[in-house]
Amino acid sequence: MLAPLVEPGAALTAAERERYSRHILLPEIGPLNQRRLKNARVLVIGAGGLGSPVLLYLAAAGVGTLGIVDHDTVDLSNLQRQIIHGTSALGRSKLASAAAAVAELNPLVTVHQHDVWLSAANALDLFAQYDLIIDGADTFATRYLVSDAAALLDKPCVWGSILRFDGQVSVFWNTHGPTYRDLYPEAPPAGSVPSCSEGGVFGMLCGIIGATMVAEAVKLITGVGRTLLGRVVLFNALDATWREISIARDLATPPVTELIDYDLFCGTSTTDAISVQQLATLLAARARSELDFDLIDVREPAEYDIVHIEGALLIPHGGILSEEAVLDRDRDIVLHCKAGPRSAAVLAELQRRGYENVRQVEGGILAWVREIEPALPTY
């Protein structure tokens, strides 16, 4: 059992004793550990599928200070699972929407909004302000960044991941056990694992995994129970089954000494990328017959049917990677997918085969709709 992460805060007021009475009745929590929760500072990465239940349950539990990192806005496709946001929040900053929901649930909680893209340049300064990090990110680059920054600062990190019907939860803490790098020493090839926006997610799974993450955070803060440090729990919603695997520190994994270029490490660097504004300019020039190139949409037919860029040719990425579909080496090629990972994988493979005139669209069709044609649907 780990020692409590946080010292007790000030004595509970009468209103706090009433609000948290069901916690206080638990011998393992009681007034003392409720005061630890009151004094805790927790940073949540992302106000999306996992961040939504995490933030609501942390606030309900009485965690005194919450930080939220997000740089996105609420869209209609979020509402199937991101329960902290409502229809009235469409188009609004997720930070503002989440902060308003927390304030409505528990006005005793202080919320700090960090409207930034988390990066190696700002992670350490940001993490240093908090006792505990909760990682609800949906990209491998961000997960490695969060784990490494937490390790450098000796902060515990509660990690969760969801895709389709499966979820995972663990706790990483460099001085007490393994980190994310011990679970995944190497990043999977870019595009090999779809994001939730590409592969879909069972909405209710977010609540199950998010609530489990909060339970781990509360145990760390209070020193109660056995945490998931050194263990990963995996839940399958289709079968309603839980299983557990053990992980240990990999002695072959070099210690983290600095933050790196995580997009480069994960193969998602945008060195060969163009913006959607640049693509719009290229398409306009192509329409005037001033230049010629192939715009290849590497998504699946069902995605193309929902929304596509006029003039794009659909060739799913699986066909390109397997060489069932062969692209013309003599043509200038611009690739795009939904958000970037699949086009990055195709770009890397084509470059490996010797294609020279290939680029990808940064942010994919989501960026196109957001910045160029907002009247088009998203999914």
Side-chain angles (χ1 to χ4, degrees):
M1 184 180 295
L2 297 168
L5 182 64
V6 178
E7 293 298 317
L12 301 175
T13 65
E16 288 171 331
R17 289 196 298 272
E18 181 177 359
R19 178 182 284 270
Y20 308 125
S21 61
R22 300 307 187 270
H23 261 176
I24 294 171
L25 288 171
L26 296 170
E28 295 84 354
I29 302 296
L32 183 65
N33 277 335
Q34 191 62 50
R35 287 166 55 200
R36 295 185 196 278
L37 292 171
K38 178 180 179 177
N39 202 33
R41 301 174 60 86
V42 177
L43 181 65
V44 179
I45 310 301
L50 289 175
S52 290
V54 164
L55 287 164
L56 291 174
Y57 271 115
L58 287 172
V63 170
T65 301
L66 294 177
I68 313 173
V69 178
D70 208 300
H71 193 59
D72 200 1
T73 56
V74 181
D75 69 53
L76 191 60
S77 68
N78 298 150
L79 303 187
Q80 164 256 8
R81 65 204 176 280
Q82 298 182 18
I83 58 171
I84 203 166
H85 312 298
T87 302
S88 62
L90 291 175
R92 189 181 184 190
S93 157
K94 285 186 180 179
L95 278 179
S97 173
V102 167
E104 174 64 23
L105 178 62
N106 190 348
L108 304 178
V109 175
T110 299
V111 178
H112 297 299
Q113 301 178 44
H114 302 286
D115 188 5
V116 296
W117 291 113
L118 192 66
S119 69
N122 59 28
L124 293 176
D125 288 340
L126 193 54
F127 286 19
Q129 303 171 42
Y130 295 90
D131 303 304
L132 169 68
I133 315 301
I134 298 187
D135 181 10
D138 60 359
T139 69
F140 286 98
T142 303
R143 292 167 187 160
Y144 281 105
L145 166 61
V146 170
S147 178
D148 286 359
L152 285 172
L153 294 172
D154 191 23
K155 305 276 186 180
C157 173
V158 179
W159 164 76
S161 174
I162 52 173
L163 179 63
R164 295 177 175 144
F165 295 95
D166 296 294
Q168 305 174 59
V169 183
S170 190
V171 171
F172 306 123
W173 198 351
N174 189 51
T175 56
H176 294 277
T179 71
Y180 188 73
R181 287 186 177 273
D182 296 303
L183 182 61
Y184 294 107
E186 296 182 0
S192 63
V193 180
S195 66
C196 290
S197 66
E198 296 168 327
V201 64
F202 196 48
M204 297 65 70
L205 181 66
C206 299
I208 297 167
I209 299 303
T212 305
M213 295 166 73
V214 174
E216 292 304 301
V218 169
K219 289 190 292 182
L220 286 164
I221 291 167
T222 61
V224 166
R226 179 188 177 206
T227 72
L228 284 173
L229 186 67
R231 300 182 291 153
V232 182
V233 291
L234 304 99
F235 177 70
N236 180 274
L238 276 182
D239 296 333
T241 56
W242 291 88
R243 62 189 181 94
E244 177 184 310
I245 61 173
S246 298
I247 57 171
R249 182 170 293 160
D250 185 351
L251 299 179
T253 301
V256 176
T257 58
E258 62 180 353
L259 301 183
I260 60 174
D261 184 332
Y262 292 91
D263 285 315
L264 182 63
F265 175 73
C266 294
T268 55
S269 176
T270 56
T271 303
D272 296 296
I274 63 172
S275 68
V276 290
Q277 290 84 2
Q278 289 173 308
L279 175 60
T281 299
L282 292 175
L283 287 172
R286 188 175 75 171
R288 297 190 300 266
S289 300
E290 295 174 0
L291 57 80
D292 197 15
F293 66 94
D294 291 332
L295 176 61
I296 308 296
D297 185 335
V298 302
R299 298 174 300 150
E300 299 301 315
E303 297 175 276
Y304 185 89
D305 290 341
I306 295 172
V307 58
H308 61 267
I309 300 172
E310 190 67 30
L313 176 64
L314 176 66
I315 306 179
H317 76 296
I320 300 174
L321 296 178
S322 66
E323 299 192 72
E324 292 179 13
V326 179
L327 306 184
D328 190 339
R329 292 177 180 270
D330 297 326
R331 300 276 294 172
D332 286 337
I333 298 171
V334 177
L335 307 164
H336 87 80
C337 61
K338 182 174 183 179
R342 284 175 287 180
S343 60
V346 173
L347 173 67
E349 176 59 20
L350 292 178
Q351 290 176 332
R352 187 190 68 79
R353 296 177 192 170
Y355 284 74
E356 296 180 352
N357 303 314
V358 187
R359 293 174 289 176
Q360 66 164 332
V361 179
E362 186 174 359
I365 201 163
L366 289 182
W368 179 269
V369 173
R370 184 173 59 248
E371 300 180 34
I372 306 298
E373 292 191 82
L376 291 179
T378 58
Y379 63 101

